[in-house]
């Protein structure tokens, strides 16, 4: 519920329990429950956890073989908005609904988004009577399909198109949340990338897939994770610390070089982000970095020994998408392409074993990038086709706190 801790820090579980895993759970929901149960012990949600997992974590997580030997692809894009953010958003929405169920007024979730997060949270909260969502996105900075996915909900989801940049949207959300008078009138929370309720359910798919793979092949699975704010990769590390049979975890980043510089031995130096083809990873100051450092007790040398990061620029993203299609008929989104290019480099360096690239979004979500490169259209999954059929709209708003405050008061009436 709180997002940030009162001292400005980020929440983490106090301890990660190394579980014995003598039997492999059958479903993603069951594995997630086993991983999360120790963290939820003595919590208000402890009783509800099995229910929350059964309701929220129903999305399939297929691990498919790629055409190249011992290479796999973990498809995390079978949720309602076709990106892995659906897992965190669905879990958070169901958990908030459970916590808030006794309240008389609905809980308003504010989301500043530059694309995928807003749609995932909207889909997760759609038609939940106890929850309302207000999405703020920067005008003209999201793709046409993304804008459609943000504005097509209606009912309890409200979409505002801010005449400003993503940072303006984020500032409005922060200021509104910190306004105690406004909070008293309109109970609000946020669902941004640092929310613990979005991070924790991501442990589940790593644990589940690695355990299933081990049971079948008696080999640990290594992962290459497309990385921006580091939430997805951090979940893989936490799943490994919880005893899941995971080997190496390698970070694939785009031209934003903050992590690659750190792992090559330089000081951690956040920078302004640069725009790339993998835009959901355009991050200059990864918000989960401090959590990662904490897990390694602040020992940067140990962290560098345990993890590696590769940088994949736009030219290589484009080449990878084109070549994987021409050679193997495989179509990947630009984010997933950073992981595929990284795995190709690891193989060229002689790395053996079973490796899975993590596919963070469906390529149809990024048709304007992918289709010109492969020279054909990407088939639309039914869920996206349905959304694109609906009408969509967003209300324009100025990046001004007084205007936003007034809007929230009206809306809460
Ligand atoms: C959010 C996102 C990422 C980056 O994930 P982090 O957890 O921020 O590292 C990668 N790919 C896609 C498609 C995303 O939406």
């Amino acid at each position: 519920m709180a997002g940030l801790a009162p001292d400005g820090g980020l929440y983490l579980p106090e301890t990660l329990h190394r579980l014995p895993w003598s039997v492999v759970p059958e479903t993603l929901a069951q594995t997630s429950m086993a991983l999360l149960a120790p963290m939820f012990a003595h919590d208000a949600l402890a009783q509800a956890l099995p229910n929350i997992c059964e309701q929220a974590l129903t999305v399939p997580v297929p691990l498919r073989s790629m055409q190249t030997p011992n290479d796999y692809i973990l498809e995390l894009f079978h949720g309602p908005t076709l990106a892995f953010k659906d897992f965190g958003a669905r879990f958070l929405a169901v958990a908030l609904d459970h916590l808030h169920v006794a309240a008389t007024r609905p809980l308003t979730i504010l989301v500043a988004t530059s694309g995928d997060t807003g749609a995932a949270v909207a889909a997760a909260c759609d038609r939940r009577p106890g929850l309302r969502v207000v999405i703020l996105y920067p005008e003209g900075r999201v793709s046409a399909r993304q804008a459609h996915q943000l504005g097509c909900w209606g009912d309890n989801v409200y979409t505002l198109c801010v005449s400003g940049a993503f940072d303006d949207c984020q500032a409005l959300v922060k200021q509104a949340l910190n306004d105690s008078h406004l909070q008293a009138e309109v109970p609000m929370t946020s669902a941004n990338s640092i929310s613990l309720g979005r991070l924790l359910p991501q442990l589940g798919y790593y644990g589940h897939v690695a355990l299933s793979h081990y049971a079948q092949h008696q080999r640990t699975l290594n992962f290459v994770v497309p990385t921006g704010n580091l939430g997805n990769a951090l979940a893989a590390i936490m799943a490994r610390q919880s005893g899941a049979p995971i080997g190496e975890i390698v970070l694939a980043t785009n031209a934003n070089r903050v992590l690659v510089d750190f792992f090559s031995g330089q000081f951690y130096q956040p920078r302004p982000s640069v725009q790339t083809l993998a835009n959901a990873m355009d991050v200059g100051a990864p918000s989960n970095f401090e959590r990662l450092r904490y897990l390694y007790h602040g020992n940067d040398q140990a962290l560098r020994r345990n993890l590696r990061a590769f940088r994949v620029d736009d030219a290589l993203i484009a080449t990878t998408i084109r070549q994987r299609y021409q050679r193997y008929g495989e179509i990947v989104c630009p984010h997933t392409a950073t992981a595929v290019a990284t795995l190709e480099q690891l193989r060229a360096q002689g790395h053996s074993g079973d490796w899975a690239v993590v596919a963070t979004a469906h390529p149809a979500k990024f048709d304007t990038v992918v289709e010109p490169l492969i020279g054909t259209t990407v088939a639309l999954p039914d869920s996206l086709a349905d959304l694109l059929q609906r009408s969509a709209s967003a209300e324009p708003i100025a990046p001004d706190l007084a205007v936003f405050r007034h809007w929230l008061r009206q809306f809460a009436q």
Side-chain angles (χ1 to χ4, degrees):
M1 284 277 273
L4 272 186
D7 65 357
L10 304 180
Y11 289 108
L12 264 176
E14 276 180 343
T15 46
L16 285 171
H17 293 260
R18 186 164 271 279
L19 303 172
W21 301 114
S22 44
V23 283
V24 179
E26 262 171 47
T27 65
L28 171 65
Q30 287 166 357
T31 307
S32 306
M33 221 181 303
L35 278 164
L36 299 185
M39 305 172 196
F40 280 71
H42 314 299
D43 187 84
L45 286 174
Q47 289 285 316
L49 182 67
N51 241 323
I52 296 172
C53 291
E54 292 293 351
Q55 277 184 46
L57 304 176
T58 51
V59 174
V61 287
L63 180 71
R64 299 191 200 283
S65 292
M66 293 208 288
Q67 295 296 316
T68 36
N70 301 329
D71 291 349
Y72 296 84
I73 183 162
L74 172 58
E75 294 181 355
L76 298 181
F77 53 64
H78 296 283
T81 68
L82 308 184
F84 81 93
K85 299 215 166 58
D86 283 322
F87 292 92
R90 285 165 66 85
F91 184 89
L92 179 66
V94 179
L96 289 176
D97 222 2
H98 270 85
L99 279 176
H100 203 69
V101 73
T104 48
R105 290 186 298 176
L107 180 66
T108 298
I109 303 174
L110 302 182
V111 202
T113 184
S114 52
D116 290 341
T117 298
V121 174
C125 298
D126 188 34
R127 281 168 243 279
R128 288 187 175 277
L131 302 178
R132 285 199 287 210
V133 182
V134 178
I135 298 172
L136 297 92
Y137 76 85
E139 184 185 349
R141 312 276 178 104
V142 305
S143 76
R145 269 190 192 169
Q146 279 178 322
H148 200 102
Q149 284 185 298
L150 293 171
C152 69
W153 303 96
D155 211 21
N156 62 334
V157 179
Y158 303 79
T159 309
L160 301 177
C161 170
V162 178
S163 50
F166 172 67
D167 290 340
D168 296 310
C169 302
Q170 206 159 27
L172 286 179
V173 167
K174 272 198 186 147
Q175 289 168 323
L177 289 171
N178 287 337
D179 183 331
S180 53
H181 296 293
L182 190 60
Q183 273 282 7
E185 291 172 58
V186 188
M188 293 176 294
T189 185
S190 71
N192 57 19
S193 63
I194 47 104
S195 170
L196 191 65
R198 282 181 48 192
L199 175 65
L200 294 183
Q202 296 176 171
L203 274 69
Y205 44 75
Y206 287 109
H208 190 64
V209 166
L211 285 164
S212 308
H213 187 79
Y214 193 84
Q216 208 181 336
H217 302 282
Q218 289 76 53
R219 289 196 297 269
T220 55
L221 193 56
N222 307 284
F223 288 100
V224 186
V225 187
T227 296
N229 272 319
L230 255 168
N232 204 5
L234 187 71
I237 293 162
M238 291 168 73
R240 184 171 65 187
Q241 292 192 356
S242 304
I246 294 172
E248 264 203 82
I249 296 163
V250 173
L251 313 177
T253 70
N254 59 23
N256 288 277
R257 55 184 313 142
V258 51
L259 291 173
V260 170
D261 286 350
F262 171 79
F263 282 101
S264 74
Q266 300 178 34
F267 288 115
Y268 176 68
Q269 181 61 60
R271 309 158 174 264
S273 66
V274 298
Q275 271 189 28
T276 75
L277 294 175
N279 64 2
M281 294 158 49
D282 291 348
V283 174
S287 53
N288 283 295
F289 185 76
E290 57 185 290
R291 279 188 171 132
L292 179 66
R293 229 177 197 170
Y294 181 86
L295 285 185
Y296 284 83
H297 312 291
N299 183 341
D300 286 352
Q301 292 311 325
L303 180 50
R304 290 192 183 103
R305 277 196 301 275
N306 254 265
L307 269 183
R308 277 188 294 169
F310 283 69
R311 178 170 172 267
V312 178
D313 64 15
D314 275 359
L316 186 53
I317 290 176
T319 309
T320 304
I321 293 174
R322 191 185 297 115
Q323 286 187 350
R324 283 312 284 203
Y325 180 68
Q326 286 171 351
R327 291 181 184 163
Y328 308 114
E330 295 169 348
I331 305 179
V332 293
C333 91
H335 311 83
T336 307
T338 65
V340 174
T342 297
L343 179 54
E344 288 176 353
Q345 290 177 41
L346 289 165
R347 292 297 193 196
Q349 293 172 5
H351 284 263
S352 56
D354 291 357
W355 285 79
V357 299
V358 177
T360 49
H362 193 287
K365 252 191 128 154
F366 299 93
D367 56 317
T368 52
V369 176
V370 173
E371 289 180 353
L373 290 168
I374 63 173
T376 182
T377 54
V378 183
L380 272 187
D382 291 345
S383 57
L384 181 56
D386 286 350
L387 287 188
L388 296 177
Q389 289 288 313
R390 303 187 191 178
S391 66
S393 65
E395 191 177 329
I397 192 170
D400 180 310
L401 180 62
V403 175
F404 185 46
R405 210 191 268 131
H406 180 74
W407 187 91
L408 280 168
R409 288 208 172 96
Q410 296 278 308
F411 142 95
Q413 299 287 304

